[in-house]
Amino acid sequence: MDLQIKNTNYSNDAILLGFSDLKRLKTERPLVFERGKGIFIFDENGKDYIESVSCFYCVSLGFSEERLVEAATRQLKALPMYSSAIHRTVPAVMELTERLAALSPVKNPRIYFSTTGSEANDHLIKFMWYGNGFANEPERRKVISRHASYHGSTIATSALGGSQDLHQSFGIPMNFSIQVSHPSWPNSALPGEDEEAFTDRLATELDQAILEAGPETVGAMIAEPVSVSSGMFPPPGSYFPKITKVLRNYGIQLFIDEVVTGFGRSGYMWATEAMGIEPDCVTCAKGISGAYMPIAGIIMGQEFNRRLDLGNEAKGWFAHGATHHAHAVSAAVALEVLNIFEERDVLGHVRRMMPHWNKMLDGLLSHPLVRANRKFGLTGAIEVAYPGEERGGAAGGLKVGGLTKDIYEAGLAEGVIVRPLAGCFVMAPPLIITEPEIGELGRRVRAALDRVLAGVPAASRAAADNVT
Ligand SMILES: Cc1ncc(COP(=O)(O)O)c(C=O)c1O
């Protein structure tokens, strides 16, 4: 298909891409992808790659789902845009709200649609400040998060993210942010510590952090059920029950960030469901529209809503909104995603693929560069180290080491895209992946590991450490 976009006049000087080396952008053309089919994407030279990370853990139904294109087109033709605000909306937003409420991981929810996962988390904090103010608890503003987590790129969500380097380099105000340990089991366990002792220690640390901050100043804790971008460490089963108990003790709400894990990644609609977590509010994005259109959901529970209503009673309205929130085309696409989930039993498919996925991950353990793996639904982390070196550390955040960067580069040569992190690389393929495709993905990843082991590409190994 002719895209009718010719970028031969592309200016290296003008472009700024996220999470990229600005100097490299000036001298080297970035990787340019032109089209996609299922789990594959094709670059401008026609080379195919398996997108083992679904782009940013988001293209859950693959890159060529015609039904999503048609749903978007139908809405574009009927009414391409109308802001959902000032007591006005469109049918797709009303229907999506109803369908999502029926599937909600919190009881009797109220749902607000924003545009990105970052915005959803950011606005949830803003709404909490609003509600707590009107509930006579204006001092309950602080939010607890975990080191090495990722909750987005706005100013507030950067403060919740775990990267100290990022806090410092962007000068992020941290006056409402408290950070506690990430449950990177077993890597950050103390010598001799079993699962119970590990989660007891983390619950005690949380309790102490709350006491230190002043319990009456803490509004919420935000956590991903499993943080893929910090190395994908599924916490021991006792972690969430114990921290939930601590939070309840002080009237602190639990916000669960399902931006990555929601919409089937775990084999359930929500990871909270798969893991028995009891959140007060949940955010979601990415998979909600198969990532074809930007949309995110803030799903708020009863106590949270009671507080919003107090604000409304005092002010006569809820003074928050934005032009592209609950975008009509995004909502139409998200509705079609829900239809496809039902009609094609996407959750059942994920569960059927999980044993093949796990087998593929285990098959890689025999490779000399692979030290361990971690699994969660259709997601996997492969811990790597050069022979003779210590294994990768605990949750490392965004910083990428030399070996995983080499594996990423070798993966490109072998036609597979993985996400390199510190000490490991992660994969979270489109949920539609089939058994033969899992086999082919495993084959390409092993070829990439072989390529690195054989010393290719030596140059990038020497370049090592500084890339995010
Ligand atoms: C757990 C989590 N929360 C929030 C976000 C931010 O979402 P977005 O990039 O759509 O703003 C991300 C992005 O990767 C994420 O992984």
Side-chain angles (χ1 to χ4, degrees):
M1 198 202 341
D2 186 359
L3 281 174
Q4 299 178 340
I5 300 170
K6 299 289 172 222
N7 56 2
T8 44
N9 292 328
Y10 158 81
S11 152
N12 283 318
D13 282 341
I15 199 164
L16 196 162
L17 303 179
F19 302 123
S20 301
D21 176 352
L22 304 190
K23 195 167 150 211
R24 185 176 170 199
L25 277 172
K26 285 190 184 173
T27 54
E28 196 184 314
R29 189 174 173 83
L31 199 45
V32 179
F33 294 111
E34 281 189 349
R35 64 191 179 89
K37 188 162 174 36
I39 65 165
F40 292 88
I41 47 169
F42 298 82
D43 70 18
E44 57 189 338
N45 301 312
K47 178 177 164 65
D48 68 89
Y49 304 77
I50 295 179
E51 228 313 347
S52 92
V53 207
S54 312
C55 190
F56 274 9
Y57 328 112
C58 56
V59 188
S60 50
L61 298 179
F63 291 90
S64 52
E65 180 47 66
E66 279 297 321
R67 282 181 59 178
L68 299 186
V69 177
E70 283 159 14
T73 310
R74 277 196 302 274
Q75 183 64 49
L76 278 165
K77 285 183 178 164
L79 183 63
M81 163 62 188
Y82 203 82
S83 299
S84 280
I86 323 183
H87 211 77
R88 305 183 299 220
T89 188
V90 296
V93 170
M94 296 189 81
E95 193 181 335
L96 181 62
T97 306
E98 198 175 306
R99 297 270 299 273
L100 203 52
L103 296 167
S104 165
V106 301
K107 278 199 199 111
N108 302 323
R110 182 183 257 153
I111 302 176
Y112 183 86
F113 294 107
S114 59
T115 317
T116 64
S118 304
E119 248 192 10
N121 289 328
D122 187 284
H123 292 353
L124 183 58
I125 306 302
K126 183 181 174 193
F127 296 178
M128 179 190 82
W129 288 347
Y130 176 84
N132 286 355
F134 289 102
N136 287 328
E137 292 193 305
E139 67 286 3
R140 268 201 197 267
R141 293 176 63 81
K142 291 181 191 156
V143 182
I144 303 167
S145 60
R146 286 102 45 93
H147 294 301
S149 289
Y150 186 78
H151 296 292
S153 57
T154 63
I155 293 174
T157 53
S158 296
L160 302 177
S163 166
Q164 277 186 13
D165 189 31
L166 190 149
H167 299 152
Q168 281 159 11
S169 50
F170 283 89
I172 301 295
M174 298 292 289
N175 56 355
F176 67 95
S177 165
I178 301 168
Q179 298 202 324
V180 294
S181 296
H182 194 273
S184 311
W185 173 263
N187 291 28
S188 53
L190 299 175
E193 202 172 40
D194 65 13
E195 281 192 13
E196 282 309 311
F198 176 72
T199 53
D200 278 344
R201 177 164 61 81
L202 264 52
T204 304
E205 182 201 344
L206 174 64
D207 196 82
Q208 280 167 357
I210 293 169
L211 288 173
E212 223 168 87
E216 69 292 344
T217 69
V218 184
M221 175 168 181
I222 186 165
E224 304 145 86
V226 177
S227 175
V228 181
S229 46
S230 61
M232 221 214 72
F233 290 87
S238 57
Y239 173 75
F240 274 105
K242 284 181 191 172
I243 64 158
T244 306
K245 198 167 159 212
V246 173
L247 298 174
R248 298 273 186 267
N249 200 21
Y250 297 109
I252 297 169
Q253 299 219 340
L254 177 60
F255 297 165
I256 291 293
D257 176 341
E258 290 249 26
V259 166
V260 170
T261 52
F263 291 87
R265 183 55 58 199
S266 63
Y268 291 80
M269 192 55 119
W270 309 102
T272 42
E273 216 183 317
M275 295 165 69
I277 304 171
E278 293 179 4
D280 294 290
C281 298
V282 167
T283 52
C284 60
K286 301 194 188 238
I288 185 174
S289 64
Y292 280 31
M293 290 295 296
I295 183 167
I298 307 174
I299 307 176
M300 295 160 280
Q302 270 170 305
E303 173 55 22
F304 197 90
N305 290 325
R306 186 185 71 79
R307 292 172 179 235
L308 293 189
D309 287 334
L310 290 174
N312 195 76
E313 271 166 42
K315 291 283 159 194
W317 70 328
F318 184 57
H320 172 100
T323 310
H324 290 287
H325 282 180
H327 195 284
V329 181
S330 305
V333 171
L335 265 178
E336 194 65 359
V337 166
L338 290 180
N339 292 337
I340 291 172
F341 264 65
E342 265 176 37
E343 289 166 31
R344 296 194 196 148
D345 186 21
V346 173
L347 298 179
H349 174 78
V350 171
R351 288 183 208 172
R352 283 189 294 280
M353 287 305 109
M354 277 161 53
H356 305 295
W357 177 253
N358 292 343
K359 196 170 150 209
M360 184 276 286
L361 295 177
D362 285 343
L364 293 171
L365 287 172
S366 61
H367 195 279
L369 293 177
V370 175
R371 297 304 165 86
N373 64 30
R374 295 182 285 277
K375 304 161 185 148
F376 180 72
L378 264 189
T379 310
I382 306 285
E383 219 173 87
V384 287
Y386 284 113
E389 284 183 3
E390 288 294 303
R391 73 176 190 180
L398 297 172
K399 189 132 191 298
V400 174
L403 174 56
T404 58
K405 167 132 188 306
D406 284 354
I407 293 169
Y408 169 74
E409 298 286 350
L412 294 183
E414 295 295 340
V416 60
I417 294 180
V418 300
R419 173 85 200 270
L421 296 169
C424 73
F425 63 91
V426 293
M427 299 184 282
L431 304 181
I432 55 160
I433 195 167
T434 61
E435 186 185 346
E437 287 172 341
I438 291 172
E440 177 60 12
L441 169 55
R443 196 195 63 71
R444 292 187 188 199
V445 169
R446 181 172 275 275
L449 292 167
D450 286 345
R451 192 179 261 265
V452 173
L453 192 62
V456 180
S460 82
R461 185 185 295 181
D465 252 353
N466 266 338
V467 184
T468 55

